[in-house]
Amino acid sequence: MALYTAHLPQWKKDEITTIKRLSSEYKLVGLVDMYGIPARQVQDIRRNLRGKAELIMTRNTLIEHAFGEIGGSITDLSSHLSGHSALIFTNENPFKLYSMLEKTKTKMAARPGETAPEDIVVSKGPTSFRPGPIVGELQQAGIPAAIEAGKVTIRETKTVVKAGQEINKKLADALAKLDIKPMDVGLILQAAFYEGSIYESDVLAIDETAFYNSIITAATHAFNLSVNAAYPTRDTASALLTKAVREARGVGVEAAVTSSDIIDAVLGKAQAQAMALQNVVG
Amino acid sequence: MEYVYAALLLHKAGKEINESSVQAVLSAAGIAVNESRVKALVASLDGVDIEDAISKAAAAPVAVAAAPV
Amino acid sequence: MEYVYAALLLHKAGKEINESSVQAVLSAAGIAVNESRVKALVASLDGVDIEDAISKAAAAPVAVAAAPV
Amino acid sequence: MEYVYAALLLHKAGKEINESSVQAVLSAAGIAVNESRVKALVASLDGVDIEDAISKAAAAPVAVAAAPV
Amino acid sequence: MEYVYAALLLHKAGKEINESSVQAVLSAAGIAVNESRVKALVASLDGVDIEDAISKAAAAPVAVAAAPV
Amino acid sequence: MEYVYAALLLHKAGKEINESSVQAVLSAAGIAVNESRVKALVASLDGVDIEDAISKAAAAPVAVAAAPV
Amino acid sequence: MEYVYAALLLHKAGKEINESSVQAVLSAAGIAVNESRVKALVASLDGVDIEDAISKAAAAPVAVAAAPV
């Protein structure tokens, strides 16, 4: 594609100038997928990002044009453009931006034809609806509705659609009426240009739970090593003492050392043994 | 239970558990011995692996209720 | 452990647990008695509620240790 | 795991955990540092209560005893 | 219990646990040594696999009584 | 672990746990004492409630529980 | 505990844990290194199978006795 700024209308030139300016002002230039996000949600997300990131929606051709004029490795970002890409600018690093965007995600009602992101379950119990055609609509969508005590009630908890399956129109309407919002909506970071490198979404996704658990594991390793190697630290001195006493008690009881500190445990062990043998002899 | 204690005592001391040894131990403790119970004990211990039986003794949390760490 | 069994036997028989009674029971079992162990046993039992200690053994749950994480 | 060790080392020493401090510690240990993993680590730690995670490590694994039979 | 601590200290250090070694350790800690208790300790430990007993102690769960419901 | 036993021994004897007392106990056991380990032990015990640590061990069942699953 | 993390890092990196390597890691973290603590660490780890020591649970598992029904 030939890039002749001179032949572009003024508004396009202005947009390209803006993209170039923001690209130099911010440390990170990213592409986010806006697919399926209603305008209202976009407003909310913009508000949530205020002061942290700037979101610019423009045509892909203009983005490519601007990157081309900047030159260098940022042009590689163009290969990640999709039909619904928008630009995001921030001074945060790509990992922080990714998790920031994850946190701005909200739940939304499903539209017909969308894929269930997880098993969608309708719970047993009364609804707020009065008896009427709604019962038939719910039933046709596969939801076990009935009228009980003058109220529309779900008779049993049911998985109405499995993760990965399509949500048909009847079900989408029924779920919307029941105020069930199964869809995650939010900006998805497709790729980011930061400090000279491109970060793709797969390296940016961090499992927060797994990471938190790895901290616990690391701390456990240190605790275990300190105690097992008997290298006392402020954090483990008490545990070491406890371990030493446990060992001493264990040895004392095993050897039936009659010391006043452990005589109750020794008696208890003798009694337990007698009871065990009693069970055998009947 | 005293008959079992006597048997365990003999077992731990590496002595044979028979009617007269059990009787001797019980008597020494001042217990009036019931001969048929002694016989029953000795008979029921026949073929029993005592070490194995007592190793199954449950852990006795004798001092209880430490605050969870 | 035979010394402890002797103590339990005497306790069950309602006898006082002192050096000579413990010695008598152990001797009756044919055990060469170690005097210091008898002394240590008797000393350690001073002030101990034996009934209480053995009843805790009876109440002991079977503790199943979790696999180390 | 070495990246997490490095972070905890800095945390315990009361030092700031940032890209350059993590990098310095790892390099000193002779570990070839992957820059984007360091970035990921620092970003992931944002908002994490490290003390809280550590206290979970010190807690003993809980074994649940069976009820007395 | 101090007698057991002394024994384990000697064991861990790879030293023989006998009357004089136990006595030496206790004295160094400023404990007035009871000779008969030392004898009893040494006799009790005779034939006991200390390493095995230690590792069993480490594996045993700490019992925490649940609050009555 | 022998350093920790030395500390427990001194605690039990009601003695102050300091570098020289720990050293004395270990030496009496015939152990070639590592001065830095003594220092590290004494420093780490500063402010630790030893009685509390001991009582946590006392809650442990002494006989061995069912094998870990 | 930062000294222990330094050891873990070196272990993970496949490096020898000696005074100078530990010192290097701690210094890189901006820590004023206490020589005696480094020595104690290295001495404590001497002969220790670190892989084994980090994976073996050091804290006792807690058995929660079920409430009597």
Side-chain angles (χ1 to χ4, degrees):
Chain A
M1 183 188 303
L3 303 168
Y4 297 116
T5 314
H7 298 138
L8 293 173
Q10 190 57 44
W11 71 269
K12 287 189 177 177
K13 286 183 191 167
D14 290 346
E15 293 227 339
I16 290 168
T17 306
T18 304
I19 294 169
K20 285 165 68 181
R21 178 176 56 80
L22 291 171
S23 299
S24 67
E25 279 177 16
Y26 285 96
K27 283 187 183 172
L28 182 148
V29 183
L31 295 175
V32 286
D33 190 353
M34 306 277 293
Y35 176 74
I37 308 177
R40 262 206 53 188
Q41 241 90 12
V42 174
Q43 297 291 320
D44 290 347
I45 291 168
R46 265 225 169 86
R47 201 174 38 245
N48 287 335
L49 291 177
R50 190 162 299 153
K52 294 179 261 181
E54 215 167 314
L55 189 65
I56 303 287
M57 277 172 282
T58 185
R59 298 187 181 188
N60 284 1
T61 51
L62 298 181
I63 295 173
E64 261 184 273
H65 203 119
F67 288 169
E69 288 192 9
I70 296 166
S73 11
I74 197 171
T75 53
D76 296 341
L77 262 190
S78 300
S79 64
H80 295 277
L81 281 165
S82 71
H84 306 272
S85 290
L87 282 167
I88 194 160
F89 299 93
T90 180
N91 284 321
E92 299 289 359
N93 74 41
F95 299 93
K96 264 205 173 141
L97 176 63
Y98 189 92
S99 69
M100 234 159 68
L101 295 180
E102 283 297 306
K103 282 172 193 140
T104 60
K105 279 190 173 169
T106 50
K107 289 285 183 185
M108 207 177 89
R111 281 169 301 189
E114 283 189 314
T115 305
E118 58 201 5
D119 286 2
I120 300 174
V121 177
V122 177
S123 305
K124 174 182 179 163
T127 70
S128 56
F129 301 110
R130 289 162 192 279
I134 179 88
V135 178
E137 290 169 29
L138 292 175
Q139 283 171 350
Q140 280 179 40
I143 297 169
I147 296 168
E148 276 172 27
K151 269 200 163 175
V152 177
T153 299
I154 310 297
R155 282 185 290 107
E156 59 187 84
T157 299
K158 188 183 171 189
T159 301
V160 290
V161 60
K162 290 246 176 221
Q165 285 180 346
E166 195 187 294
I167 301 168
N168 63 36
K169 177 154 192 338
K170 278 179 183 163
L171 185 56
D173 290 347
L175 291 175
K177 286 198 169 116
L178 291 171
D179 202 29
I180 292 171
K181 295 176 173 170
M183 309 306 292
D184 290 309
V185 252
L187 301 177
I188 295 163
L189 188 59
Q190 297 172 304
F193 176 76
Y194 180 75
E195 293 181 343
S197 326
I198 301 280
Y199 292 81
E200 294 178 27
S201 60
D202 56 344
V203 303
L204 298 175
I206 292 164
D207 183 334
E208 285 183 19
T209 310
F211 177 71
Y212 190 77
N213 287 338
S214 74
I215 298 177
I216 296 176
T217 305
T220 305
H221 286 169
F223 181 86
N224 287 351
L225 181 58
S226 172
V227 173
N228 289 328
Y231 171 71
T233 65
R234 280 180 182 281
D235 294 323
T236 52
S238 177
L240 257 173
L241 290 171
T242 303
K243 182 176 186 241
V245 177
R246 278 169 61 80
E247 289 176 351
R249 289 178 64 89
V251 171
V253 173
E254 180 72 25
V257 174
T258 46
S259 154
S260 54
D261 293 321
I262 54 169
I263 187 62
D264 55 349
V266 174
L267 289 170
K269 186 187 178 192
Q271 178 68 7
Q273 289 179 334
M275 284 162 50
L277 189 59
Q278 177 79 71
N279 279 343
V280 173
V281 300
Chain B
M1 198 62 125
E2 50 272 40
Y3 290 70
V4 178
Y5 291 147
L8 279 174
L9 198 163
L10 289 160
H11 168 75
K12 275 288 171 187
K15 307 289 172 188
E16 204 196 327
I17 302 170
N18 55 40
E19 291 177 33
S20 77
S21 64
V22 173
Q23 204 140 9
V25 171
L26 290 170
S27 300
I31 294 166
V33 185
N34 176 323
E35 209 179 313
S36 71
R37 284 187 67 190
V38 174
K39 272 196 211 312
L41 174 79
V42 173
S44 61
L45 282 174
D46 187 43
V48 169
D49 182 339
I50 296 183
E51 254 336 287
D52 185 59
I54 65 177
S55 72
K56 284 180 187 141
V62 275
V64 192
V69 207
Chain C
M1 202 59 134
E2 54 271 35
Y3 292 71
V4 182
Y5 293 137
L8 286 176
L9 200 51
L10 288 162
H11 169 75
K12 197 73 183 173
K15 305 288 168 196
E16 203 197 328
I17 302 170
N18 55 38
E19 291 179 31
S20 76
S21 63
V22 172
Q23 203 137 11
V25 171
L26 293 168
S27 299
I31 295 166
V33 184
N34 178 319
E35 208 183 311
S36 333
R37 291 189 72 179
V38 175
K39 269 195 215 302
L41 172 76
V42 173
S44 71
L45 286 172
D46 186 43
V48 170
D49 182 339
I50 298 183
E51 221 22 74
D52 187 57
I54 65 179
S55 70
K56 274 178 189 154
V62 176
V64 180
V69 208
Chain D
M1 197 54 119
E2 51 269 40
Y3 289 71
V4 183
Y5 289 151
L8 288 182
L9 194 162
L10 289 161
H11 171 76
K12 274 289 170 189
K15 306 287 172 190
E16 204 196 325
I17 304 171
N18 55 39
E19 292 177 30
S20 77
S21 64
V22 172
Q23 204 139 6
V25 171
L26 290 170
S27 301
I31 293 166
V33 184
N34 176 320
E35 208 181 311
S36 77
R37 285 189 67 189
V38 174
K39 281 194 178 46
L41 172 81
V42 174
S44 306
L45 281 171
D46 189 44
V48 170
D49 184 338
I50 298 182
E51 267 317 304
D52 188 58
I54 291 176
S55 72
K56 281 180 185 150
V62 175
V64 179
V69 216
Chain E
M1 197 61 146
E2 51 272 38
Y3 291 69
V4 182
Y5 292 147
L8 282 182
L9 197 161
L10 288 161
H11 169 76
K12 282 283 177 183
K15 308 287 172 189
E16 204 196 327
I17 301 170
N18 56 39
E19 291 177 33
S20 78
S21 63
V22 172
Q23 204 139 8
V25 172
L26 290 170
S27 300
I31 294 166
V33 185
N34 176 322
E35 206 182 315
S36 152
R37 289 185 66 187
V38 174
K39 272 192 214 302
L41 173 80
V42 173
S44 302
L45 288 174
D46 185 43
V48 170
D49 183 338
I50 295 183
E51 217 35 59
D52 187 60
I54 287 176
S55 66
K56 274 185 197 157
V62 174
V64 177
V69 209
Chain F
M1 203 57 145
E2 52 271 36
Y3 291 70
V4 183
Y5 286 127
L8 283 171
L9 205 47
L10 288 161
H11 172 76
K12 195 75 184 174
K15 306 286 168 196
E16 203 196 327
I17 302 171
N18 56 39
E19 293 178 29
S20 76
S21 64
V22 171
Q23 203 137 8
V25 172
L26 292 169
S27 299
I31 295 167
V33 184
N34 177 319
E35 209 182 311
S36 343
R37 292 189 71 181
V38 174
K39 269 195 216 300
L41 174 78
V42 173
S44 73
L45 287 175
D46 186 42
V48 170
D49 184 339
I50 297 183
E51 264 321 302
D52 185 61
I54 292 175
S55 71
K56 275 178 188 155
V62 280
V64 177
V69 213
Chain G
M1 202 62 137
E2 54 270 35
Y3 289 67
V4 179
Y5 285 117
L8 285 172
L9 261 175
L10 288 162
H11 168 72
K12 199 76 183 169
K15 305 286 169 196
E16 204 197 325
I17 301 170
N18 56 39
E19 292 178 32
S20 77
S21 64
V22 172
Q23 204 137 9
V25 172
L26 292 170
S27 300
I31 295 167
V33 184
N34 176 321
E35 207 183 313
S36 153
R37 290 183 65 187
V38 173
K39 272 192 214 299
L41 175 75
V42 173
S44 303
L45 292 177
D46 185 44
V48 170
D49 179 340
I50 295 186
E51 249 341 286
D52 187 58
I54 66 178
S55 58
K56 201 166 74 185
V62 176
V64 179
V69 209

